[in-house]
Amino acid sequence: MAVDNSDRARALRLTPVSRETEERLTLLVAELGRWQAAKNLVSSTTLADVWMRHIADSLQLFRLAPDARSWLDLGSGGGFPGLVIGICLAEVEGGRIHLVESNSRKCAFLRHAARLTGAPVTVHPDRIEDVIGDFTGRVDVVTARALAPLPQLLDWCKDLLRTGALGLFPKGQHLDAELTESSRYWKIQATTVSSVTDGAARILMVRAAEKRADP
């Protein structure tokens, strides 16, 4: 996979990291290129600007909760944002991220990339609904990128939010509609942050969500 150095430079200007973290991220990008043809880990159309589309897009989430130690990423797919956050946590004492992914081929890549980069990652090859209860009260942040509509995310994460976790959910141009739909069923305490990689996207920061009583 040919890497566009201008894409990499732009990404690291927007989301600067240490030299050690940059070296680990470079290893991750190289392995993604090696595995992509066989495993179809991410959309092939995003590989030309992988540093902006995947690396910087993931790094910006870590910057929203830099003091968090324990993270959970749902539906980790090819590792974004989970592996990138894990690489950042390699420089955080006691840091660890749990990646939940039901696709066994993607889990193989997640484990391989974590070993190669030294990222403190635990991979859970399970369905979200089967394991999410195990993390209640145990994580500081829960993330999910391009996974499900907001009402479903809130339903999965309600007990995590209730016990103090922060939800970081990157969303695209339909966020307002998702918030409107969610408000029919949920009382939400949340703020939004503009994405640094996509002018039409925002990151929803959810601090609490309570199910409304049935009408």
Side-chain angles (χ1 to χ4, degrees):
M1 180 180 72
V3 176
D4 182 347
N5 287 329
S6 64
D7 171 57
R8 171 175 168 160
R10 183 181 175 215
L12 294 176
R13 279 197 305 271
L14 288 172
T15 52
V17 296
S18 70
R19 185 182 65 184
E20 292 80 5
T21 294
E22 182 180 348
E23 290 172 352
R24 290 186 172 105
L25 292 171
T26 300
L27 280 175
L28 173 59
V29 169
E31 287 306 293
L32 177 67
R34 284 204 322 114
W35 283 59
Q36 173 67 14
K39 303 296 185 183
N40 193 31
L41 299 169
V42 298
S43 170
S44 295
T45 61
T46 65
L47 293 179
D49 49 0
V50 63
W51 279 87
M52 280 294 292
R53 292 286 293 274
H54 294 301
I55 302 299
D57 199 52
S58 300
L59 285 171
Q60 66 178 333
L61 298 183
F62 184 77
R63 296 173 71 190
L64 293 175
D67 297 325
R69 296 291 186 270
S70 180
W71 291 66
L72 172 64
D73 183 44
L74 303 178
S76 297
F80 305 104
L83 281 176
V84 173
I85 292 170
I87 285 171
C88 292
L89 289 171
E91 296 187 15
V92 176
E93 184 176 356
R96 177 157 295 274
I97 187 166
H98 298 268
L99 310 185
V100 179
E101 173 54 52
S102 61
N103 183 299
S104 60
R105 294 178 303 161
K106 292 178 179 177
C107 285
F109 173 74
L110 296 173
R111 292 191 184 97
H112 168 76
R115 285 193 299 267
L116 188 69
T117 60
V121 164
T122 302
V123 178
H124 301 266
D126 300 288
R127 291 169 56 85
I128 292 167
E129 53 267 36
D130 292 338
V131 297
I132 195 162
D134 297 340
F135 297 99
T136 302
R138 294 178 49 209
V139 295
D140 303 316
V141 182
V142 56
T143 63
R145 179 179 184 245
L147 177 62
L150 182 58
Q152 177 64 78
L153 292 177
L154 295 175
D155 193 53
W156 279 328
C157 298
K158 58 184 182 296
D159 290 334
L160 304 180
L161 298 168
R162 177 180 55 80
T163 52
L166 169 68
L168 293 181
F169 305 130
K171 288 291 181 179
Q173 59 185 342
H174 302 301
L175 174 58
D176 289 337
E178 289 191 47
L179 285 168
T180 298
E181 176 67 14
S182 298
S183 68
R184 296 172 56 194
Y185 310 102
W186 297 89
K187 290 184 283 187
I188 308 167
Q189 295 179 25
T191 54
T192 60
V193 177
S194 296
S195 170
V196 302
T197 61
D198 181 348
R202 286 172 287 170
I203 300 159
L204 185 67
M205 304 177 66
V206 183
R207 301 192 179 277
E210 180 183 348
K211 198 75 175 283
R212 293 187 183 277
D214 292 335

